[in-house]
Amino acid sequence: MKKVVKFGGSSLASAKQFKKAGDIIRADRARRYVVPSAPGKRNKNDEKVTDLLYACYDAASTGAPYGKIFSRIKERYNQIIEGLELNLNLDFEFDRIEKNFIAAAGRDYAASRGEYLNGIIMSHYLGYDFIDAADVIFFDENGTFLSEKTNAELAERLSHSERAVIPGFYGAKPDGSIHTFSRGGSDITGSIVARAIHADLYENWTDVSGFLVTDPRLVENPVPIETITYKELRELAYMGASVLHEDAIFPVRREGIPINIRNTNRPDDPGTLIVESTCRKPRYVITGIAGKKGFCSITIEKAMMNSEIGFGRKVLDVFEKNGISFEHMPSGIDTMTIFVHQSEFQDYEQSVIAGIHRAVQPDSIELESDLALIAVVGRGMKSARGTAGRIFSALAHARVNVKMIDQGSSELNIIIGVKNDDFETAVRAIYDIFITADR
Ligand code: ASP
């Protein structure tokens, strides 16, 4: 059995948290490869070391004073080392980092030092090998991740290491310079390592016991999701449910390796298991509800639109030419509505309207702003009758006016458009009808 364990920033924010992580790793011999993040927040008002590194670099590389902030960074690591009673001194590393900051080695280099230093500490603490991610994770000159080269090199390197720590978040470009994934990218590193060693499981340890059916800021104490498929997760993550980096599923998905989201502070909780597919019956008809505000709709009306071949293409071409991606496109006989992100659309509004007039000579174009989209996702919906009916009667009872409905062709989700102001009420109503009523 081989497991890759990734620990997020809050799981490694202090010596106390490091000890919890150490206990978890030592409790299971299969936890052989460890991917740490940089130290995160110890409490709500604390700072993430990654943010301190960016700020410190911005000052140091432009000749501004940076001493104070650099001391805060050193202090964070030294406190962890002392708390763990390690015989380790990072002064040499700190000096080298300082020199490289002044020499403007790059913002990515700066940010990556958070994981790099935490990786060194972790490897000492566990007695595992330390493998610098710059030697095994590769990007091209433009910063595109090179998955196959990385997979081959990493597999080869790890075949010589029984137990190792590989820092998350970064790798190297062909010229040796450091490049990072986007924020939260240690999740991706964990997934890449899991793929390379054909892990049985990728455990992602964080500060929540997995995914919840919906956002706890919208519904009090939502129930946890026990099992979710990659596809369901994609739908929910796209709509704003964030626990795992969006791109982290791709490497493990190729190998069919499940991901288990676990809570470092509650190691006995089973967390959420993310799988390719499963026969396990979901406990509720729906798996999750997520949503986002800030959309607007463009409704185009033209008599006999339905018989005009190429109408849709011409309209979408206008959006493409203006560089705007669309979210949904429900249509009627003489109408077609396009949903877009308000922030992306605003600056091009008039150019799009003019473009549509020129392209298809519509009878009218109407805009509506401040809309929210809610995705109700669940593999169980396929075989359950009346799901849409239940959603709409719940919304009607809650006095929410539905602006749009779109059932994905996979029968995995139903997307509902409502006014921004109705967003919270709508999510709560849907939660209640499927979860509270079924408990
Ligand atoms: N430390 C990085 C960040 O704060 C990467 C990560 O934690 O995954 O975004």
Side-chain angles (χ1 to χ4, degrees):
M1 212 27 176
K2 282 184 285 189
K3 291 183 186 170
V4 171
V5 288
K6 181 259 169 180
F7 287 88
S10 59
S11 301
L12 302 173
S14 63
K16 190 171 146 219
Q17 290 300 88
F18 249 84
K19 284 182 190 165
K20 290 184 193 168
D23 289 346
I24 289 166
I25 296 164
R26 292 190 194 99
D28 182 350
R29 297 288 297 159
R31 294 181 176 134
R32 287 171 43 187
Y33 299 99
V34 180
V35 175
S37 279
K41 294 184 180 188
R42 290 161 295 188
N43 52 59
K44 251 199 181 138
N45 302 321
D46 201 12
E47 296 153 311
K48 283 181 162 201
V49 166
T50 309
D51 292 322
L52 292 174
L53 285 162
Y54 279 124
C56 184
Y57 176 79
D58 290 344
S61 61
T62 54
Y66 65 89
K68 272 202 189 129
I69 186 159
F70 199 56
S71 302
R72 289 223 294 280
I73 297 169
K74 290 198 268 194
E75 175 80 11
R76 290 288 303 263
Y77 288 104
N78 286 333
Q79 278 177 359
I80 295 174
I81 293 171
E82 275 163 36
L84 297 176
E85 297 175 41
L86 295 180
N87 185 13
L88 172 69
N89 186 322
L90 291 178
D91 285 348
F92 169 74
E93 296 289 350
F94 291 143
D95 287 346
R96 194 162 62 170
I97 291 170
E98 186 171 358
K99 282 199 193 95
N100 287 334
F101 275 21
I102 295 167
R107 285 193 105 225
D108 281 12
Y109 166 79
S112 74
R113 297 305 87 184
E115 291 32 41
Y116 172 78
L117 295 172
N118 237 14
I120 294 178
I121 298 178
M122 184 58 106
S123 75
H124 269 74
Y125 180 49
L126 297 171
Y128 281 24
D129 298 335
F130 174 76
I131 297 177
D132 189 348
D135 298 333
V136 284
I137 304 242
F138 304 107
F139 297 90
D140 71 10
E141 310 63 40
N142 306 317
T144 305
F145 171 57
L146 297 172
S147 66
E148 296 320 301
K149 178 175 156 75
T150 297
N151 194 48
E153 298 254 352
L154 194 55
E156 153 64 19
R157 180 69 188 79
L158 293 180
S159 68
H160 304 295
S161 181
E162 197 44 34
R163 297 176 180 275
V165 174
I166 307 103
F169 192 37
Y170 71 94
K173 288 188 180 178
D175 65 0
S177 63
I178 298 291
H179 186 74
T180 63
F181 293 107
S182 56
R183 294 299 302 265
S186 299
D187 287 339
I188 308 173
T189 309
S191 181
I192 292 166
V193 174
R195 177 185 173 208
I197 62 150
H198 302 295
D200 297 282
L201 184 65
Y202 168 27
E203 287 180 345
N204 189 297
W205 291 84
T206 174
D207 52 7
V208 289
S209 297
F211 288 94
L212 301 171
V213 167
T214 193
D215 188 334
R217 285 168 299 188
L218 301 175
V219 170
E220 212 182 307
N221 268 328
V223 295
I225 300 176
E226 286 163 18
T227 312
I228 185 169
T229 64
Y230 297 135
K231 274 191 204 149
E232 289 174 311
L233 181 60
R234 279 287 289 163
E235 299 283 351
L236 289 172
Y238 184 69
M239 274 301 192
S242 66
V243 169
L244 188 72
H245 191 293
E246 267 204 83
D247 297 339
I249 58 170
F250 296 117
V252 285
R253 191 175 180 171
R254 299 171 71 135
E255 298 278 326
I257 301 167
I259 308 175
N260 192 188
I261 308 285
R262 300 284 295 266
N263 188 346
T264 306
N265 304 316
R266 296 176 57 98
D268 294 332
D269 288 357
T272 299
L273 195 64
I274 311 166
V275 294
E276 169 78 52
S277 71
T278 174
C279 292
R280 285 195 214 180
K281 276 244 155 15
R283 192 143 157 231
Y284 305 100
V285 173
I286 62 162
T287 304
I289 312 161
K292 277 193 216 164
K293 291 182 178 178
F295 292 91
C296 67
S297 66
I298 301 104
T299 299
I300 304 157
E301 231 184 296
K302 186 177 185 187
M304 309 286 286
M305 155 192 304
N306 64 327
S307 57
E308 201 176 316
I309 291 171
F311 190 93
R313 179 183 51 74
K314 287 180 206 155
V315 171
L316 292 182
D317 189 50
V318 176
F319 285 87
E320 186 179 341
K321 294 232 162 78
N322 281 278
I324 297 165
S325 70
F326 76 97
E327 293 294 312
H328 291 282
M329 192 179 57
S331 63
I333 297 179
D334 292 331
T335 59
M336 168 173 170
T337 303
I338 320 261
F339 278 77
V340 293
H341 281 276
Q342 203 157 321
S343 56
E344 272 178 37
F345 178 68
Q346 259 157 5
D347 291 347
Y348 301 94
E349 178 187 277
Q350 295 309 317
S351 147
V352 170
I353 293 177
I356 296 173
H357 271 290
R358 246 175 278 130
V360 294
Q361 294 86 41
D363 297 336
S364 71
I365 300 178
E366 240 176 76
L367 301 186
E368 181 160 4
S369 58
D370 301 322
L371 298 172
L373 292 177
I374 299 169
V376 185
V377 175
R379 59 189 186 281
M381 286 179 355
K382 227 181 183 147
S383 48
R385 263 173 293 131
T387 310
R390 285 173 82 185
I391 295 176
F392 298 116
S393 72
L395 292 176
H397 273 109
R399 301 186 172 285
V400 172
N401 184 13
V402 176
K403 297 268 168 196
M404 190 258 325
I405 352 168
D406 191 358
Q407 171 156 28
S409 39
S410 56
E411 278 190 72
L412 195 68
N413 61 359
I414 295 178
I415 311 276
I416 301 139
V418 299
K419 279 296 234 185
N420 274 348
D421 291 345
D422 284 334
F423 177 66
E424 285 82 6
T425 315
V427 171
R428 262 178 239 133
I430 299 169
Y431 182 87
D432 282 342
I433 196 76
F434 287 103
I435 311 291
T436 317
D438 269 3
R439 280 175 99 172

